[in-house]
Amino acid sequence: MKKKLITIKNYLDYVCDGKFIVTSDMIITPGAKDKIRAANLETIYEKEKCCVAHENKNEGTCKKNGCEGNRNEIKSNEELEKKIIEILLKKFNITDVERVKVILQKVKESIK
């Protein structure tokens, strides 16, 4: 079985709904582990990807293995925070933890 090397450059490819999905075919570098911890992402251990839709980054609802996860649905403040962190990391490549915290705080203040 071919292993996937997860690094600081590609770990965001495996983030879905604020969760980092770990499968048995992954090798995660220490740097990637640090970034995952710094982003406060929940780590989920699976035998395989939650679903192909998540793996291919398609929109829609996952129904595999009872996941019922929707890539666009935000259910709580905690999920909102994780989604904002995910966007800052993926879309804007902001990796500085303190900067992420400041932006997150300003977004919370503007929403209230």
Side-chain angles (χ1 to χ4, degrees):
M1 174 192 279
K2 184 176 177 183
K3 299 280 185 178
K4 297 176 202 160
L5 182 63
I6 309 304
T7 67
I8 60 174
K9 292 184 179 183
N10 69 351
Y11 78 97
L12 291 174
D13 294 343
Y14 302 93
V15 173
C16 180
D17 292 329
K19 297 174 182 152
F20 179 75
I21 310 296
V22 179
T23 58
S24 60
D25 64 342
M26 291 181 173
I27 299 172
I28 306 168
T29 64
K33 287 179 183 179
D34 291 343
K35 293 287 187 181
I36 292 162
R37 271 188 234 108
N40 198 27
L41 296 171
E42 182 180 355
T43 302
I44 305 293
Y45 295 90
E46 299 275 333
K47 288 187 179 179
E48 58 183 58
K49 272 271 187 212
C50 177
C51 68
V52 175
H54 290 175
E55 186 172 346
N56 294 332
K57 299 182 194 172
N58 294 331
E59 300 298 322
T61 301
C62 170
K63 296 202 184 289
K64 185 173 182 183
N65 298 329
C67 172
E68 299 294 334
N70 186 319
R71 290 182 56 84
N72 300 319
E73 186 178 342
I74 297 174
K75 298 176 185 167
S76 69
N77 286 336
E78 184 178 313
E79 286 184 34
L80 176 62
E81 285 183 23
K82 289 181 179 180
K83 192 67 174 175
I84 291 169
I85 291 168
E86 182 180 338
I87 290 169
L88 291 172
L89 291 169
K90 280 186 177 180
K91 303 281 184 190
F92 299 100
N93 200 27
I94 298 174
T95 57
D96 178 49
V97 176
E98 291 305 315
R99 189 168 178 207
V100 169
K101 286 179 182 177
V102 168
I103 293 169
L104 188 58
Q105 184 61 36
K106 289 188 182 217
V107 169
K108 285 182 183 178
E109 289 171 2
S110 68
I111 291 175
K112 289 182 182 179

